[in-house]
Amino acid sequence: MKNKKKKLTLKALKKDFRQYWVLYLMFLPILGYIILFGYVPMVGVSMAFMDFRPRLGYLGSDFVGFANFTRFFSSPSFWKIVRNTFSINLLDLFLGFPTPIIFALLLFEMSNKHLRKTVQFIAIAPHFISVVVLCGMITVFSRQGGWLNSLVAQIKGVSQPYLLEEPSYYYPIYLLSSIWAQMGFASIVYYAALCGVDKNLIEAAKIDGAGRIRQMFSVTIPSISPTIIIMFILRMGGIFAVGLDKSLLLQTRLNENVSEVLSTYVYKRGLLANDYGYGMATSLFSAAVNLTFLLITNTIARKTETSLW
Amino acid sequence: MRTVRSEKIIKSKWDIIFECVVGFILILIGLMILIPILHVIFASISDPSFVRNYKSIIFYPRSITLRGYGLVFQNTVIVRSIFNTLLYVCLGVSLNMVVTVVAAYVLSFREPLWNKFFMKLITVTMFFSGGLIPLFHLLDNMNLLNTAFAVLLPAAMNAWNMIILRTAFRGIPDSLMDAAKLDGASYIKMLIHIVIPVSLPTIAIIFMYYVSGHWNEWFSYMAFISDRNKYPLQLILREILVINDTTNVMPGDPDLITGQETKVLVQYCAAIISVIPMLAFFPFVQKYFMTGVLIGSLKG
């Protein structure tokens, strides 16, 4: 309140500086860091409109307008990449998003403390396994001789030399391993929210004769809906930001048709093939789609009175 | 006859069935998460010829041997990469902690006029960034490519971690800070003698996040470092496990049966070795996760 009334005069600024110069001095290197690594690369967005040559720099490179974008939109891989990126995300939204919520609910409903703590502990542990080891284990398991490969061979009756090279297995493997690794950690947010639910509400429902399942749907889940909505908005903001790590690690030449997503494409074209302008245009497109989805979801969520801003 | 007291304890028939179903599902989930981990652990200490021929999940180890671990630790490429990782983690985390603590401390003060602006600058970078390609170009211009700093400097501060820590700093009672101010303590003294000691639990979580982040990082090393001698463990693991290529690591003919067996053994053992430090860390900080300390601070 006080700050708002205070006018930003030169005198006030001087006084402010005299009082807090130590703090500002401490922050100075950090400010430099933020500008250098946070804002200077933003200039690089202009690469998307250039035929960028690193030797010539931003000023020396030729301006080409939207040529990079048209090249990307008309390239044969455009629809394939957009389709893959959307597929993985939608699948993850329908399967990967609800599982931590369900898991947190199950934990919350479990009255045996030892069982609850043990399962929670086990479920969080995979979060600390590096993505390289996770994907490495997936590849080892799905090669000939691996248990996953043998399991699938037993069920299907046909044996595959390497499951990941079979496009139809790529999404199930990708999704299930993501859920396996992240469900426990992602459930912490919801579990904490559940612990904060007013116990009196649950008691009241009990006295009214609501059974356990009824309590869950009428009291517990509505109470944590703000948390769910916030997490959902954040998730929607990343709809086009498929984890680069996993896609890149699980990609093989034979599953490229389903595994190539925007982030892997940006990396391959922009850095490996040195097509800077083209890569940047792709990356900008992906960021624009993400932002659009974030804004749309937030606008819808606003109607329920829970939103990011 | 039921008393009011026992009514709370005695559960109805449906409640018991409900709890049993929930318990059963939870045990199932727990097993599904645990079994693949146990499989890897057991495979890494079992006899390699058994592991190679046994095509399903291993539920208990057979003819226990630690040969695989011996092979891994004798291997110069892997050992060098472990040392590289340790060096990068130490450098990176020290940098992270200094930058994050100082930034969170300065921004935890509400009065300085510029702080709001600084905070906005940081928030914008959380949602917008130039992306990989301009960063690569910048690092190239700074002559940092092919050094560890190309990876560590851009990652010097994580904005989320900074905000979590700032919220913790703001939770320190004003009376404590005012008392120090009256005693004539400078801002730096207040940071070292009051703010840091009081917020140690949150600092520990942030520390843990940074350590596991650096330990598990691989992509930026792959993008920015080309010298194999500087590779961290995760990149070597990628070669051994994902690309399934042990020729750079293990000289010898991989087509022979013994070669195949060592390969499988080394794969499992290397995976375990890279995971153990992080998992060993985890029980110590687990209680902080559970209390929802982090979540509470995120809301603030």
Side-chain angles (χ1 to χ4, degrees):
Chain A
M1 291 294 278
K2 255 186 197 169
N3 273 342
K4 272 183 189 166
K5 277 183 187 168
K6 214 188 279 173
K7 272 187 185 162
L8 273 179
T9 55
L10 200 63
K11 211 174 144 194
L13 280 176
K14 261 187 190 165
K15 191 181 161 232
D16 176 72
F17 186 74
R18 219 178 303 127
Q19 202 169 355
Y20 300 112
W21 67 273
V22 181
L23 291 178
Y24 289 144
L25 193 66
M26 285 164 86
F27 197 72
L28 194 65
I30 298 168
L31 186 66
Y33 157 77
I34 294 165
I35 290 169
L36 183 60
F37 287 108
Y39 287 88
V40 171
M42 283 187 197
V43 179
V45 170
S46 59
M47 279 181 195
F49 307 96
M50 291 175 189
D51 177 22
F52 189 77
R53 304 250 176 265
R55 266 183 303 111
L56 301 175
Y58 292 108
L59 296 175
S61 298
D62 288 335
F63 181 78
V64 293
F66 285 90
N68 287 321
F69 288 93
T70 42
R71 195 147 60 94
F72 173 52
F73 293 142
S74 59
S75 92
S77 19
F78 174 72
W79 285 112
K80 184 186 80 185
I81 294 166
V82 169
R83 186 200 63 206
N84 292 343
T85 315
F86 260 122
S87 312
I88 292 188
N89 267 296
L90 284 181
L91 283 169
D92 185 57
L93 207 59
F94 283 117
L95 297 170
F97 185 77
T99 38
I101 304 174
I102 297 166
F103 180 60
L105 275 170
L106 287 171
L107 285 175
F108 184 70
E109 294 293 341
M110 188 67 235
S111 55
N112 185 321
K113 200 178 153 193
H114 294 290
L115 179 63
R116 188 178 64 219
K117 291 249 152 153
T118 316
V119 174
Q120 198 170 25
F121 181 80
I122 292 170
I124 295 173
H127 175 78
F128 295 94
I129 295 174
S130 78
V131 64
V132 173
V133 172
L134 177 70
C135 295
M137 283 301 118
I138 295 169
T139 56
V140 170
F141 295 161
S142 47
R143 281 207 177 85
Q144 197 133 47
W147 63 264
L148 191 63
N149 190 309
S150 317
L151 193 72
V152 171
Q154 262 175 13
I155 296 168
K156 287 256 170 173
V158 255
S159 69
Q160 303 275 345
Y162 184 21
L163 287 184
L164 282 174
E165 287 182 344
E166 180 59 47
S168 59
Y169 290 121
Y170 181 78
Y171 290 151
I173 291 178
Y174 185 100
L175 268 177
L176 286 176
S177 59
S178 290
I179 292 173
W180 181 85
Q182 294 305 333
M183 183 183 72
F185 193 77
S187 74
I188 296 176
V189 184
Y190 304 110
Y191 186 73
L194 284 169
C195 291
V197 172
D198 192 354
K199 294 281 181 301
N200 293 329
L201 279 178
I202 299 176
E203 280 303 313
K206 222 182 259 177
I207 289 164
D208 285 347
R212 291 289 287 266
I213 293 172
R214 188 67 203 275
Q215 283 167 36
M216 203 159 87
F217 282 101
S218 307
V219 180
T220 330
I221 295 178
S223 312
I224 62 161
S225 65
T227 314
I228 297 178
I229 293 172
I230 293 270
M231 297 310 281
F232 187 75
I233 300 171
L234 288 174
R235 178 67 191 75
M236 287 303 281
I239 194 102
F240 254 28
V242 176
L244 170 68
D245 294 312
K246 254 185 112 176
S247 303
L248 209 55
L249 286 168
L250 292 180
Q251 203 164 57
T252 62
R253 216 163 35 77
L254 290 171
N255 69 19
E256 224 168 58
N257 238 337
V258 289
S259 67
E260 188 82 298
V261 290
L262 275 163
S263 49
T264 56
Y265 191 68
V266 170
Y267 169 65
K268 283 182 179 168
R269 293 305 300 265
L271 282 196
L272 294 187
N274 286 322
D275 201 344
Y276 289 92
Y278 186 74
M280 196 59 232
T282 318
S283 160
L284 202 60
F285 166 72
S286 142
V289 176
N290 276 333
L291 189 65
T292 318
F293 271 95
L294 182 73
L295 292 176
I296 292 173
T297 331
N298 196 56
T299 317
I300 297 169
R302 261 190 172 173
K303 297 193 171 137
T304 64
E305 289 176 5
T306 312
S307 66
L308 279 185
W309 57 85
Chain B
M1 280 287 283
R2 284 192 199 164
T3 63
V4 180
R5 203 182 126 78
S6 66
E7 203 165 35
K8 274 186 183 167
I9 297 163
I10 292 174
K11 292 166 181 168
S12 75
K13 191 178 70 185
W14 287 110
D15 274 0
I16 294 171
I17 294 174
F18 181 81
E19 292 252 314
C20 285
V21 172
V22 168
F24 178 73
I25 300 173
L26 280 180
I27 291 172
L28 215 61
I29 293 174
L31 286 177
M32 269 158 69
I33 293 173
L34 195 59
I35 285 173
I37 299 178
L38 289 180
H39 168 87
V40 179
I41 296 174
F42 294 152
S44 77
I45 55 173
S46 289
D47 180 39
S49 66
F50 160 75
V51 175
R52 205 177 78 87
N53 294 313
Y54 193 73
K55 292 192 169 154
S56 49
I57 295 175
I58 300 170
F59 287 101
Y60 56 94
R62 324 282 153 103
S63 34
I64 294 176
T65 164
L66 291 177
R67 223 183 81 214
Y69 291 98
L71 282 172
V72 168
F73 281 119
Q74 277 164 20
N75 188 283
T76 46
V77 177
I78 297 178
V79 171
R80 193 198 294 129
S81 74
I82 291 176
F83 277 113
N84 284 342
T85 297
L86 287 175
L87 178 70
Y88 301 157
V89 169
C90 290
L91 280 175
V93 174
S94 328
L95 182 68
N96 288 150
M97 292 316 285
V98 172
V99 172
T100 312
V101 168
V102 171
Y105 176 66
V106 172
L107 295 176
S108 71
F109 288 92
R110 291 168 206 270
E111 301 85 19
L113 294 172
W114 286 89
N115 273 5
K116 266 195 178 154
F117 171 69
F118 292 152
M119 200 56 218
K120 282 217 175 90
L121 273 186
I122 292 175
T123 322
V124 169
T125 62
M126 291 169 74
F127 291 99
F128 300 96
S129 79
L132 184 64
I133 297 163
L135 182 63
F136 184 87
H137 181 62
L138 174 69
L139 293 168
D140 195 10
N141 282 341
M142 290 170 75
N143 274 327
L144 285 176
L145 284 184
N146 212 10
T147 68
F149 294 106
V151 178
L152 302 180
L153 279 182
M157 185 177 81
N158 177 303
W160 273 118
N161 289 348
M162 195 280 289
I163 291 173
I164 291 170
L165 201 57
R166 186 185 71 139
T167 315
F169 287 172
R170 283 194 169 168
I172 297 172
D174 285 340
S175 52
L176 211 59
M177 303 292 273
D178 290 341
K181 244 181 228 167
L182 280 180
D183 285 347
S186 67
Y187 284 113
I188 295 171
K189 265 193 182 150
M190 265 156 61
L191 173 65
I192 295 169
H193 294 294
I194 299 174
V195 175
I196 293 180
V198 168
S199 332
L200 271 185
T202 318
I203 292 179
I205 295 178
I206 306 271
F207 178 77
M208 162 84 185
Y209 272 157
Y210 279 134
V211 171
S212 81
H214 282 294
W215 182 271
N216 290 338
E217 177 59 40
W218 69 283
F219 176 73
S220 32
Y221 290 104
M222 185 174 79
F224 302 143
I225 288 189
S226 44
D227 182 358
R228 281 183 54 88
N229 289 333
K230 293 177 181 169
Y231 273 10
L233 178 61
Q234 299 295 335
L235 276 189
I236 299 294
L237 281 175
R238 173 173 168 267
E239 241 165 51
I240 301 176
L241 297 170
V242 182
I243 307 177
N244 198 20
D245 176 9
T246 48
T247 45
N248 284 322
V249 184
M250 293 267 128
D253 193 348
D255 292 328
L256 292 173
I257 291 176
T258 48
Q260 280 288 332
E261 284 174 358
T262 19
K263 185 176 180 177
V264 171
L265 199 59
V266 165
Q267 284 182 328
Y268 281 119
C269 292
I272 291 291
I273 285 170
S274 89
V275 169
I276 277 180
M278 291 306 105
L279 286 185
F281 219 155
F282 167 54
F284 296 104
V285 284
Q286 197 221 10
K287 66 174 178 198
Y288 296 124
F289 285 138
M290 297 312 155
T291 49
V293 170
L294 279 182
I295 321 304
S297 56
L298 278 180
K299 281 181 189 159

